[in-house]
Amino acid sequence: MSSSDRLLDLIQNTPEIDLLLRSSFGFDIHRKHYGEGLRLASGASLEVIAGESAGGAYFLCAEQNGRRPVVFAGSEGEGGLLADDLADALEIIIGLEWHDCLSFSGGGDVAVMQIAAQHRERTRDKYNPDIDHEAAQVAAALSLRIVPVPDLVIRLQAAVSKTEPDYVVTDEDGQAFGPLFGLAVPPTSTAAVVNAS
């Protein structure tokens, strides 16, 4: 049994962790209907392991060097590599508002992503004051690390940057999904740059 399989079994068999991942972090192991027919551009199959309420899905790729990379495919036609294995992916999912960090990345600029992450961390805490405690609960139950946000941003940017050529997602017709990196910049970035100068 791979480390990814062990983690998924642990989530399945720990209802309170399953619920926290689903309700607070958008990782729902019961939502696997999205993503059927999606593959990698190489033709390699993808195993859907979880979905999210917005219609996106998380997939495991074939094992490489003892690890199974995690790919995400969104409902808006964006997709790519999220992490080198499920433990890394879950640390990003519980520790970072990664969707917004990628959407407002200026095309994958790590400095812009750091600004987006700081902004979203403040608003996340405002909407869910218990989020850090919930992340700690999930991390403890699954033997994950609580990683500082700036380090998670660096890890996320490095993984998504490796999407091409091996982790490009395609649909049933062979059409490639667009990149996970969005071109927008966070609304606070201009102010942050001005204040820094």
Side-chain angles (χ1 to χ4, degrees), residues 3 30 44 53 57 62 68 78 80 82 102 122 130 132 134 141 146 169 171 182 196:
S3 61
H30 306 283
S53 59
R68 294 190 70 187
E78 75 285 8
L82 190 63
L102 290 175
R122 287 191 295 272
D130 296 327
D132 290 337
E134 292 171 351
I146 295 292
V169 180
D171 65 16

Side-chain angles (χ1 to χ4, degrees), residues 174-193:
Q175 295 296 311
F177 276 45
L180 286 173
F181 288 131
L183 296 177
V185 297
T188 55
S189 63
T190 306
V193 170

